[in-house]
């Protein structure tokens, strides 16, 4: 082999090593996905049979479909959404991914979805159009070396449709948010027990949560920055407690303290 050919071969080997080292030196980012519920006061349980989670990452292709969908190592299972309130959530995904831009999330559901109303458990029928998966639009970037945490706020109250005659269908209403782009409001009510509810609004979309029946604690997450009115309702109490001008800031939990309820 001539010196020229030897030099060419060595140059190729050096390039391969440099590319491999560069690839190894670029860390992945971490995607964490959590599910929680806006309260479903009408129902005692709303059970969702989660089978799979996928994300669409712009600029990447999947070997099987070629459309950019990436299947994640999700924690599949049957989850009662009514338990995922006041700071309680379910971790679905905690996975490292190459840096990229996520534009959609797709949730695959099984056939064991159900709802409990008046102590009776009923099956939840998923419309045929949702069999391929529930698609959610997101705009999140996976940054190398950083953690991106996305919350799926599953509004069980709006998602369950009473079709009559003891039949129910599931038409999911899911909102996505990140803690880095929203704030939260917390407090404690002096009245405890089932049925106490806290709501937050600014003339537009209303966000709500049931108050913890034992402690009176409540936490409303995923609230865009702005000024809101907080209202607290309790069964048997005619007067509603209203707290105006509650300021919400990104990344901050606004604590309104103790909300004194009339007796």
């Amino acid at each position: 082999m001539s010196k020229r050919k030897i030099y060419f071969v060595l140059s190729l080997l050096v390039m391969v090593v440099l590319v491999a080292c560069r690839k190894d030196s670029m860390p992945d980012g971490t995607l964490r996905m959590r599910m929680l519920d806006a309260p479903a006061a009408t129902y005692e349980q709303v059970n969702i049979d989660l089978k799979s989670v996928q994300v669409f990452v712009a600029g990447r292709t999947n070997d099987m479909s070629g459309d950019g969908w990436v299947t994640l190592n999700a924690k599949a299972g049957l989850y009662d959404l009514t338990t995922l309130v006041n700071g309680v959530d379910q971790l679905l995904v905690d996975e490292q991914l190459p840096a990229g831009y996520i534009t959609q999330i797709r949730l695959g559901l099984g056939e064991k979805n159900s709802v409990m109303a008046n102590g009776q458990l009923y099956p939840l029928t998923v419309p045929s159009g949702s069999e391929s998966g529930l698609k959610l639009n997101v705009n999140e970037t996976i940054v190398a070396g950083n953690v991106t945490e996305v919350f799926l706020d599953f509004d069980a109250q709006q998602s369950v449709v009473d079709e009559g005659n003891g039949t129910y269908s599931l038409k999911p209403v899911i909102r996505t948010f990140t803690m880095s782009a929203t704030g939260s409001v917390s407090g404690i009510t002096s009245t405890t027990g089932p049925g106490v509810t806290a709501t937050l609004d600014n003339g537009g979309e209303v966000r709500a949560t049931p108050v913890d029946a034992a402690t009176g604690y409540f936490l409303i997450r995923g609230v865009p920055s702005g000024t809101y009115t907080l209202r607290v309702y309790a069964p048997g109490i005619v007067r509603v407690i209203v707290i105006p001008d509650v300021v919400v800031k990104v990344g901050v939990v606004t604590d309104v303290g103790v909300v004194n309820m009339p007796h």
Side-chain angles (χ1 to χ4, degrees), residues 104-115:
Q104 285 185 311
I105 298 171
R106 183 160 62 192
L107 306 178
L109 299 184
E111 299 178 352
K112 298 179 180 179
N113 307 290
S114 63
V115 58

Side-chain angles (χ1 to χ4, degrees), residues 35-38 79-90 221:
M35 182 168 65
L36 64 153
D37 174 37
Y79 299 109
D80 180 4
L81 296 177
T82 65
T83 65
L84 305 179
V85 294
N86 285 328
V88 178
D89 54 54
Q90 174 62 49
R221 292 190 287 183

Side-chain angles (χ1 to χ4, degrees), residues 28 43 68 114 143 183 198:
D28 293 340
Y43 307 108
S114 63
V143 179

Side-chain angles (χ1 to χ4, degrees), residues 8 46 59:
F8 178 74
V46 178

Side-chain angles (χ1 to χ4, degrees), residues 71-172:
T71 300
L72 304 178
N73 184 26
K75 296 181 179 179
L78 192 65
Y79 299 109
D80 180 4
L81 296 177
T82 65
T83 65
L84 305 179
V85 294
N86 285 328
V88 178
D89 54 54
Q90 174 62 49
L91 179 65
L92 300 179
V93 173
D94 188 355
E95 188 168 341
Q96 289 190 323
L97 293 174
Y101 184 63
I102 295 177
T103 60
Q104 285 185 311
I105 298 171
R106 183 160 62 192
L107 306 178
L109 299 184
E111 299 178 352
K112 298 179 180 179
N113 307 290
S114 63
V115 58
M116 180 177 285
N118 299 317
Q120 180 68 39
L121 197 63
Y122 300 92
L124 268 178
T125 302
V126 179
S128 58
S130 300
E131 290 177 352
S132 61
L134 309 175
K135 291 183 181 179
L136 313 174
N137 293 323
V138 293
N139 295 289
E140 297 299 333
T141 302
I142 303 298
V143 179
N146 287 357
V147 176
T148 300
E149 197 161 32
V150 179
F151 289 80
L152 308 182
D153 189 0
F154 207 125
D155 193 327
Q157 181 67 51
Q158 295 188 45
S159 299
V160 176
V161 179
D162 185 351
E163 304 289 358
N165 300 318
T167 61
Y168 296 83
S169 63
L170 180 66
K171 297 181 180 179

